[in-house]
Amino acid sequence: MHKREIIVCRSTDGLAQQGAAEFTRLAQLSLRDKGRFDVALSGGSTPRALYSLLATAEFSRQISWARVHLFWGDERCVARDHPESNYRMVRESLLAKIQIPPANVHRMAGEEEPRTAAAEYEQELKDSFQLAPGAFPRFDLILLGLGDDGHTASLFPGSDALKETQRLVAANYVAKFNAHRLTLTFPVLNHGADVIFLVAGANKAPVVKEILKDDRQPAPFPAAQVQPLDGRLVWLLTEDAAPN
Ligand code: 6PG
């Protein structure tokens, strides 16, 4: 079962501030309680401002980065320095400005053959979380975005990975891009302790409204399938993305 919270921010700056504060609060709790903070980062453009804020002294000095492990929720199948790389976006906005051990930065290998990269990342999760066979990693925090078609991570409408119930990572063919993407699967997302959607922009409002309309009857969008089994689900929205 999950608790669902909806937090509306006045602007994209407010969204970034709220997101950075929540990241910091959860990091401090995890570091206190288990000595480590495992987070899956969202790609896309919305979270860039949040990551940049985390890199500022105001937030960064509150986080023991040496005990933070950064993962990605999904990645495009491109090189790490490609303009569309989610890794590159995080490197530019955060990694280049903080002191974090390279071993704590768990990049998806977008440059590799997709199925190989997915299998490698799955193994990296198993190793990093020391998973028993068949177990799923429990991220302390999963940050997610939302597309105006209702996708999240790289779980796109009509794509095969929507049906994955066992694997941790999928090499998901996305017809609209005629390309594969690497993505965490729903079982992983739904094992998260705190799962936070960051959504900005009026173009997202219709799909947000549909998804938030009734959490007993999930709307027919991939993002509506994110329902943490034993965790907290937060929709962090700008005013123009929120249902009025
Ligand atoms: C990606 C993301 C994807 C993103 C949404 C929203 O790799 O693009 O993981 O799920 O979060 O498409 O993207 P924007 O934040 O750019 O609107």
Side-chain angles (χ1 to χ4, degrees):
M1 186 54 197
H2 65 275
K3 293 182 298 179
R4 188 181 83 178
E5 295 170 44
I6 300 170
I7 302 171
V8 180
C9 304
R10 296 179 62 83
S11 65
T12 50
D13 287 346
L15 188 79
Q17 281 286 347
Q18 185 82 31
E22 193 60 3
F23 183 109
T24 305
R25 182 182 73 84
L26 293 171
Q28 290 173 341
L29 287 175
S30 293
L31 292 171
R32 181 197 68 192
D33 296 346
K34 68 174 214 179
R36 173 174 160 146
F37 182 51
D38 291 297
V39 53
L41 299 174
S42 173
S45 58
T46 303
R48 183 186 280 265
L50 189 165
Y51 302 150
S52 296
L53 263 184
L54 287 175
T56 64
E58 176 190 354
F59 289 97
S60 185
R61 67 169 174 241
Q62 300 179 61
I63 300 169
S64 305
W65 292 106
R67 294 182 292 145
V68 174
H69 284 259
L70 300 176
F71 298 81
W72 273 254
D74 72 323
E75 184 56 279
R76 290 82 181 275
C77 292
V78 296
R80 71 175 74 193
D81 57 357
H82 189 285
E84 290 182 14
S85 164
N86 287 333
Y87 167 79
R88 172 173 163 172
M89 184 269 288
V90 175
R91 188 190 67 221
E92 291 172 346
S93 55
L94 177 61
L95 300 181
K97 305 170 189 172
I98 61 171
Q99 298 295 320
I100 186 168
N104 292 22
V105 179
H106 305 269
R107 183 182 70 88
M108 289 181 168
E111 70 280 9
E112 290 187 12
E113 192 281 326
R115 281 164 291 275
T116 303
E120 287 175 353
Y121 207 69
E122 176 139 343
Q123 191 55 53
E124 181 146 356
L125 288 171
K126 289 176 178 176
D127 296 343
S128 190
F129 284 85
Q130 299 179 323
L131 295 181
F136 294 100
R138 183 166 172 81
F139 281 97
D140 301 302
L141 172 61
I142 300 175
L143 294 176
L144 292 172
L146 177 73
D148 56 12
D149 61 356
H151 81 264
T152 191
S154 281
L155 297 164
F156 282 81
S159 63
D160 288 346
L162 299 183
K163 301 185 289 281
E164 184 55 58
T165 59
Q166 303 303 316
R167 291 187 182 283
L168 310 182
V169 185
N172 196 27
Y173 177 72
V174 183
K176 73 190 289 189
F177 302 128
N178 187 27
H180 282 81
R181 288 208 176 169
L182 302 173
T183 185
L184 298 183
T185 58
F186 281 128
V188 175
L189 302 185
N190 286 330
H191 274 75
D194 283 82
V195 181
I196 301 181
F197 278 94
L198 298 161
V199 188
N203 65 311
K204 310 285 178 77
V207 69
V208 169
K209 184 173 185 177
E210 283 301 305
I211 291 173
L212 297 184
K213 190 158 52 177
D214 178 354
D215 62 355
R216 294 180 307 276
Q217 181 62 35
F221 300 105
Q225 304 306 316
V226 177
Q227 301 190 10
L229 299 168
D230 174 20
R232 175 169 166 261
L233 178 63
V234 181
W235 284 84
L236 202 44
L237 310 167
T238 54
E239 276 178 354
D240 58 357
N244 45 33

